[in-house]
Amino acid sequence: MTATVAHGMLAGLDEIDAVGRDSRAGGYSRHLWQPADFELRSWFVERATRIGLAVETDRNGNLWAWWGRPGPNAVVTGSHLDSVPGGGAFDGPLGVVSALDAVAALTADGFRASRPLAVVVFAEEEGSRFGVACLGSRLMTGAIDADRARGLTDAGGITLAEAASAAGIEAARLGVDREALDRIGLFVELHVEQGRGLVDLGRPLALASSILAHGRWRLTFTGEGNHAGATAMSDRRDPVLAAARAIVAVNDAAVASDGARATVGRISVVPGATNAIASSVVAWLDARAATDAATRALVADVAERVEECLVGSGCAVTISEESWSGVVEFDPGVSTPLATTLGGLPSLASGAGHDAGILAGLVPSAMLFVRNPTGVSHSPAEFAETADCLAGVTALERVLRSVLAVPVPRETVP
Ligand code: HGY
Ligand code: MN
Ligand code: MN
């Protein structure tokens, strides 16, 4: 499925349509500071510059395109351009393209903003290269320790610090960015919906009410590498078998819970030979639930079940928490006026995480969702109708007009 939208607006989706296509998985694989990501960053700079914005890269690799002088109490909109492996065309890029189009509509008709405005592209939102989702916004806000982040490694063993340096970012400066954070007066992220909420409501747009608590855990199973032909079945300590049983147990735990979700979508087998019993397996657990406590309880249940699976296997397991995001409740004091501006919109809970969720505890934040008729995301089947996307741009533009018209208090004018 492509993002083809033959319209002046949303043309940005067509412009990046060929970038990072994944012929093996289908869809797109666009990962931090790899060729597709660099190409998308260049596209963004060119696109933003063309409509009169000035682009800067912050200390964590996030891009900011400013209309006028950067300053406090800014209205910020945007999303991310990276993808999961084999992801869809809309998750992230729709928010960036819509933001640029909404701002272009404002600049084109001579609108005069009373507050600074920026379009942001957050780095590594999916965590596909270094394992931690929303890495750019987490670093900026201090939601991840900078030293720990610098040591994160990609599949090839390259550290974030090394990758940052290679991309021209000073690794020592990765981390909390008070200056960038303090400039945000309001963050509005437009995003394709990733479930069927809007389909069920029969509405094209909604505002976000909440985000599930979620996190990632790394399960490392160790056994004994050995010969596939020469090792009797009774002599084996096979971590693949242990991991397979454990993965079934992960699913059982979520099914037994009250609506929690648990997924193992990524497994690596070492050494990964057809004719060798593996020596170790790493399986990544993604767990989510409506409350922090329910998510923690699910993971505790998973851990217990996984240990039970290993009894008598001769294998061992270690479980390490790689990232955690507590439940997010978007502030109705921020969202309700936006809904009013838009003539009333439903509110929708999100099962997916977002940079707006990382920011929400620190700066006024809201999200606009655009209907996804397939309800499918993180897959090439992710989709949004052009009419709904255009409704999203128009809604974002109206929101920006309304919030930008409110003057900055005199003492905070830069
Ligand atoms: O994984 C997530 O929830 C998000 O799409 N990054
Ligand atoms: Mn995503
Ligand atoms: Mn996203």
Side-chain angles (χ1 to χ4, degrees):
M1 186 73 65
T2 76
T4 303
V5 275
H7 197 284
M9 276 196 177
L10 304 173
L13 289 175
D14 280 345
E15 290 162 13
I16 61 173
D17 184 53
V19 183
R21 281 201 173 259
D22 188 325
S23 56
R24 184 189 65 86
Y28 300 90
S29 291
R30 298 161 165 171
H31 307 318
L32 181 68
W33 296 326
Q34 290 184 338
D37 185 57
F38 284 124
E39 203 177 325
L40 291 168
R41 285 166 180 269
S42 301
W43 165 84
F44 177 77
V45 172
E46 194 278 320
R47 234 342 180 105
T49 308
R50 211 193 306 158
I51 59 168
L53 311 186
V55 183
E56 57 182 45
T57 305
D58 71 18
R59 60 200 293 168
N60 295 306
N62 306 309
L63 299 172
W64 301 78
W66 287 93
W67 185 22
R69 252 175 84 186
N73 205 24
V75 176
V76 178
T77 181
S79 190
H80 61 98
L81 291 171
D82 66 308
S83 76
V84 295
F90 298 87
D91 176 1
L94 183 64
V96 175
V97 167
S98 300
L100 290 171
D101 286 349
V103 174
L106 297 186
T107 57
D109 78 358
F111 178 83
R112 290 183 65 83
S114 300
R115 302 166 66 171
L117 169 74
V119 177
V120 68
V121 176
F122 282 113
E124 180 80 337
E125 192 273 349
E126 300 290 4
S128 297
R129 181 165 179 196
F130 289 100
V132 175
C134 299
L135 188 57
S137 57
R138 275 185 212 271
L139 279 163
M140 179 179 82
T141 57
I144 184 168
D145 175 73
D147 281 333
R148 189 189 151 227
R150 276 186 274 273
L152 292 171
T153 51
D154 70 6
I158 296 170
T159 64
L160 179 71
E162 290 164 345
S165 302
I169 299 283
E170 215 180 310
R173 294 189 73 243
L174 290 169
V176 178
D177 189 346
R178 279 244 64 98
E179 192 191 341
L181 193 56
D182 286 348
R183 291 192 301 210
I184 307 174
L186 171 68
F187 178 50
V188 182
E189 180 171 2
L190 179 147
H191 205 281
V192 70
E193 204 216 329
Q194 295 172 278
R196 294 185 53 82
L198 282 167
V199 174
D200 293 345
L201 288 169
R203 299 284 295 267
L205 303 175
L207 281 156
S209 56
S210 60
I211 298 178
L212 292 180
H214 60 286
R216 297 179 178 188
W217 289 262
R218 185 200 301 250
L219 279 60
T220 306
F221 300 86
T222 46
E224 182 182 46
N226 211 331
H227 195 285
T231 315
M233 298 311 284
S234 56
D235 287 346
R236 296 175 179 222
R237 292 166 49 210
D238 185 347
V240 172
L241 197 56
R245 292 196 169 116
I247 291 165
V248 174
V250 164
N251 188 68
D252 291 347
V255 169
S257 74
D258 184 17
R261 290 151 193 190
T263 308
V264 176
R266 179 179 162 200
I267 308 168
S268 60
V269 176
V270 178
T274 307
N275 54 355
I277 299 160
S279 56
S280 66
V281 171
V282 175
W284 288 75
L285 166 69
D286 177 308
R288 311 189 188 213
T291 64
D292 295 5
T295 313
R296 293 287 184 199
L298 171 68
V299 175
D301 187 21
V302 163
E304 208 171 296
R305 289 173 188 250
V306 167
E307 288 291 352
E308 279 166 20
C309 290
L310 262 63
V311 173
S313 70
C315 296
V317 66
T318 57
I319 302 180
S320 67
E321 182 172 299
E322 298 294 318
S323 64
W324 169 257
S325 303
V327 72
V328 174
E329 301 285 352
F330 285 100
D331 181 357
V334 178
S335 301
T336 306
L338 305 189
T340 305
T341 300
L342 298 172
L345 279 188
S347 55
L348 207 61
S350 172
H354 301 283
D355 293 306
I358 302 294
L359 266 57
L362 299 165
V363 296
S365 302
M367 291 193 73
L368 262 175
F369 288 129
V370 173
R371 175 166 51 194
N372 172 349
T374 64
V376 174
S377 186
H378 286 183
S379 147
E382 179 183 273
F383 189 60
E385 297 288 355
T386 300
D388 290 349
C389 294
L390 290 172
V393 176
T394 303
L396 186 61
E397 183 193 336
R398 283 173 64 191
V399 162
L400 295 180
R401 277 184 196 278
S402 113
V403 293
L404 286 167
V406 180
V408 182
R410 183 170 292 281
E411 65 273 16
T412 64
V413 174

